[in-house]
Amino acid sequence: MSKFISYLKTKSFRTNIIAAIITVVVIILTAFFSLRYYTKHGQGLNVPAVKGLAFTQAVSKLEQLGLRYEVDSVFVMDSPPGIVIDQDPEANTFVKDNRTIYLTVNVAMAPNVKFPDIEFKPFRQAQALIESFGLKLGDTTYKSDQARDVVLEALFGGQPIKAGESMPKGSRIDLVLGDGKGNEEVDIPSLIGLTKDEAIFALKNGAMLTLGNVFYEGEITDTANAVIIKQDPFLTDSVTKVKIGTPVNITLSNKK
C-alpha cells in the first residue's frame, strides 16, 4: 500500500494522468465538432408553400432549394387535376438540406368504386353507405309503397344500378324511396274525352295515380288533340277505388 501511495506522488504518475485527461478532452471535442459538421448544425431552410400549385411548379420550387420529393395521388372531384392538394412538412417548417417533401396530387381520372347494396335499406343508412364509398347523393323521388323512406331503386345517369356494379368515384346517385302510402286507395277518375296531357295532370295531381300504357285507335292525324276513348281501370259500379300509384292505361283517338 505504501508503494502505491509513493507512486501517486511521482512525476511519472502526474504525467500519465495529464496525458489521459488531454486524450479524453480531445476525443470529446473531436466527436462534438464532427457531429456538428455531419448534421450541419444551424444550417437548413424553410419549406416553401407548394399546396395549391400545379405539380410542375411545385417540383421546380423544391428542386431550386435542393429538396427532394415523393408523390402520392388522390382524386378530389371539386379540385382541378394536377394540383398539389397537400404537402408534408407544412409550409414554413424548418428542415435540413436535401429533406424529402411528400406531395399529394389530384389526379385527372376518378378511380372506379363498387356500388354498395342499399336496396330496401332506410334512407339515412343508404345515404351513409353511398358517402362512405366516395359517391354523392343526388335527387330523391317517391313512389307508392307500403314502406316509408326505404330505398326502392337507385339510379345513375337515369339508369337503374345494382350492388357490385362499377362507377367513377364522386358520381351522383338518385334514389327512389317509398312514400308509405302503398295501402291507401283513391277514387278512379274518369279520363274519357281528355287529351293525354290533361290525363297526366289529372292522374298525378288529382288522384295520385300514374299513366300506364298508351294505345291508339284509328288513324291519328293530330296526337296533341287526340282524346281518350277508353281507360283501364275504368270506373264502374263495382270498382270505384284503386291503390295510390296504380297505372291507368288509356286509348287515344282523333274520332269525335
Side-chain angles (χ1 to χ4, degrees):
M1 186 66 180
S2 60
K3 289 182 179 181
F4 178 71
I5 295 174
S6 299
Y7 173 71
L8 294 178
K9 296 178 180 180
T10 63
K11 182 178 180 181
S12 175
F13 174 75
R14 291 195 299 271
T15 301
N16 289 335
I17 286 294
I18 293 172
I21 293 173
I22 291 174
T23 300
V24 171
V25 170
V26 169
I27 291 173
I28 292 174
L29 291 176
T30 300
F32 176 73
F33 285 108
S34 296
L35 185 62
R36 283 171 61 92
Y37 176 78
Y38 178 76
T39 59
K40 298 181 180 180
H41 181 71
Q43 299 180 28
L45 48 83
N46 286 326
V47 176
V50 296
K51 186 176 179 180
L53 297 181
F55 175 67
T56 53
Q57 293 177 313
V59 168
S60 178
K61 261 193 168 186
L62 296 176
E63 289 180 342
Q64 287 176 6
L65 295 172
L67 295 170
R68 296 178 296 173
Y69 63 90
E70 289 188 13
V71 181
D72 190 14
S73 61
V74 297
F75 176 76
V76 180
M77 176 172 283
D78 299 327
S79 295
I83 296 296
V84 177
I85 61 174
D86 198 12
Q87 68 176 87
D88 182 31
E90 294 287 341
N92 298 318
T93 302
F94 188 77
V95 299
K96 300 295 183 184
D97 294 343
N98 208 33
R99 169 69 184 272
T100 299
I101 308 300
Y102 298 92
L103 306 178
T104 303
V105 180
N106 190 35
V107 295
M109 295 295 293
N112 283 345
V113 294
K114 298 288 187 181
F115 188 66
D117 183 7
I118 62 172
E119 193 172 11
F120 303 124
K121 287 184 169 55
F123 171 69
R124 293 301 177 190
Q125 183 180 352
Q127 181 181 17
L129 272 172
I130 287 172
E131 293 174 351
S132 70
F133 275 68
L135 303 170
K136 293 186 176 181
L137 179 65
D139 297 329
T140 56
T141 56
Y142 284 87
K143 180 179 178 181
S144 178
D145 192 81
Q146 296 181 17
R148 179 170 178 80
D149 288 331
V150 168
V151 177
L152 302 180
E153 190 175 30
L155 304 173
F156 172 53
Q159 298 299 317
I161 184 166
K162 299 297 183 181
E165 294 184 29
S166 294
M167 60 176 52
K169 188 176 182 179
S171 299
R172 291 172 61 88
I173 306 299
D174 299 329
L175 299 180
V176 179
L177 307 176
D179 61 7
K181 300 178 180 178
N183 286 329
E184 294 186 21
E185 293 186 334
V186 293
D187 293 329
I188 299 175
S190 176
L191 305 179
I192 305 302
L194 301 181
T195 64
K196 179 181 175 181
D197 288 341
E198 290 172 339
I200 292 173
F201 181 84
L203 291 171
K204 182 177 180 181
N205 297 284
M208 291 184 286
L209 301 174
T210 60
L211 180 65
N213 296 320
V214 179
F215 304 100
Y216 295 92
E217 185 174 294
E219 183 181 356
I220 304 300
T221 57
D222 185 357
T223 56
N225 290 316
V227 297
I228 298 171
I229 59 173
K230 297 177 185 178
Q231 72 175 74
D232 179 34
F234 182 72
L235 178 62
T236 65
D237 292 338
S238 59
V239 180
T240 61
K241 292 181 180 292
V242 291
K243 289 184 179 179
I244 288 178
T246 297
V248 178
N249 303 322
I250 60 173
T251 300
L252 294 167
S253 175
N254 279 141
K255 295 179 181 179
K256 297 296 184 179

